[in-house]
Amino acid sequence: MSEDLWLNRPLVLPWLKDRWEHLLDLKSRNRFPHALLINGPEGIGKACFSLALANYVLCRNPQDSSACGKCRSCELTASGNHPDLYQLHPDEPGKPIKIDQIRELTEFIYSTAQQGGYRVVIIDPADSMNINAANALLKMLEEPGENTLLMLLSHRLGQMLPTIKSRCQRVDMPPADAVIATKWVATQLEVEPEEAAQLLVITHNSPLQALAYKQDDLLGLRAKVLKGLADILKNRSSSVEVAQQLFKEDLELILGWIYSWMVDIARSSESEADPEVLRHNDARNMLLALARKVSSRKLYAYADLVQEARRDLMFRRNPNKQLLMEKVLGEWYSLPKG
Ligand SMILES: [Zn+2]
């Protein structure tokens, strides 16, 4: 997804303004911590936020509530080449951050700031550090040296060492406010509020993912998946044929959709197929038809199967993707058949 476009911009998104003001207030009262644990759901703007904070802290001439955007330091941050800003990510998305990467960071932390001010480190996602990396980081958190700011970003707090957590000041980022986020997405994408709201439903209220959906035409892929599923139920295509059409796409994403549709209709059949309960409007007719025919017990069982297939993909057990899709879609075919 092209979220990267957004990840690399210092930006405080509107629903995070309170947190921004809170941190700037701490800074103005000289109570700024040396380590922040920035925690919250994916796709709400934590990375942009931490870059904005880095930019602010490094700026030589900060204004009331933002960096000046003009000084040498701001120029360096904007170009992505600030020598006193260190961004640490896994070598590949989804892989752990390793101890060697933390060792390289040590050199940076204990060197002198080249621009004479702060040294800032952003570790994203910090919950992807393996145990050795986390232990190596602990030392730095204990004695970070003067004018150092470490920002650890996380959306899976449970996977972080308690000793790391206890050495950071935790900043919980709220989910995006629905009204504000809808308006923001509509403005960014120049679409009607209804479409923005629908994108937010699909992305589980993640405004940045909503933008990526539109930009990468994931709605087109979604329409293709829905058509394939409908074709199977109506005997227009076999599950093997549809698996053939889909198995080279982003299967984690597709299985995530199917899973949330199942949960949607299971909920709706519990309330006697009340159409108001359905959140996914684009899949509405098919979901309603299924809700009338299939018990919620069966739907949940199918959702479990989909979830299991997703796990197989995520943990890289190298499943045969075509077979995996054939299985998921074969079960889909028999879902309404007693
Ligand atoms: Zn500046």
Side-chain angles (χ1 to χ4, degrees), residues 215-236:
Q215 282 155 359
D216 296 352
D217 192 29
L218 292 177
L219 290 178
L221 175 60
R222 205 172 142 99
K224 186 174 161 186
V225 174
L226 281 170
K227 182 176 179 305
L229 292 178
D231 285 349
I232 292 172
L233 292 181
K234 294 184 176 166
N235 287 318
R236 287 189 297 236

Side-chain angles (χ1 to χ4, degrees), residues 8-148:
N8 293 318
R9 285 168 57 172
L11 197 66
V12 179
L13 292 171
W15 46 91
L16 301 179
K17 284 251 156 47
D18 286 358
R19 298 300 186 275
W20 179 255
E21 278 156 23
H22 168 66
L23 288 169
L24 262 47
D25 177 56
L26 291 179
K27 181 128 182 34
S28 71
R29 292 188 285 128
N30 283 325
R31 290 182 52 202
F32 205 51
H34 66 78
L36 293 172
L37 175 52
I38 296 176
N39 165 58
E42 274 186 287
I44 57 162
K46 297 190 298 298
C48 311
F49 183 96
S50 62
L51 262 185
L53 192 58
N55 193 17
Y56 181 82
V57 166
L58 292 166
C59 174
R60 288 175 182 177
N61 187 24
Q63 314 293 299
D64 283 349
S65 61
S66 64
C68 75
K70 292 175 194 148
C71 70
R72 177 75 185 133
S73 207
C74 282
E75 276 174 16
L76 286 166
T77 309
S79 69
N81 293 317
H82 201 300
D84 299 323
L85 172 59
Y86 197 106
Q87 298 194 60
L88 186 51
H89 305 288
D91 287 335
E92 281 174 61
K95 291 273 167 79
I97 291 179
K98 288 176 268 175
I99 187 162
D100 291 345
Q101 293 177 276
I102 300 292
R103 286 200 184 117
E104 282 169 33
L105 172 64
T106 318
E107 287 172 29
F108 171 82
I109 285 269
Y110 295 114
S111 63
T112 317
Q114 294 193 31
Q115 295 288 311
Y118 260 87
R119 274 150 314 141
V120 182
V121 176
I122 297 173
I123 304 181
D124 179 20
D127 46 50
S128 71
M129 283 186 288
N130 67 24
I131 185 93
N132 292 334
N135 279 322
L137 184 73
L138 262 183
K139 269 208 174 117
M140 269 178 259
L141 288 173
E142 278 160 8
E143 300 167 27
E146 293 245 313
N147 287 340
T148 305

Side-chain angles (χ1 to χ4, degrees), residues 301-318:
Y302 185 67
D304 283 346
L305 179 135
V306 172
Q307 195 68 325
E308 188 55 39
R310 245 175 120 194
R311 257 180 245 130
D312 279 348
L313 283 172
M314 277 192 245
F315 296 109
R316 292 166 205 280
R317 290 177 212 159
N318 273 332

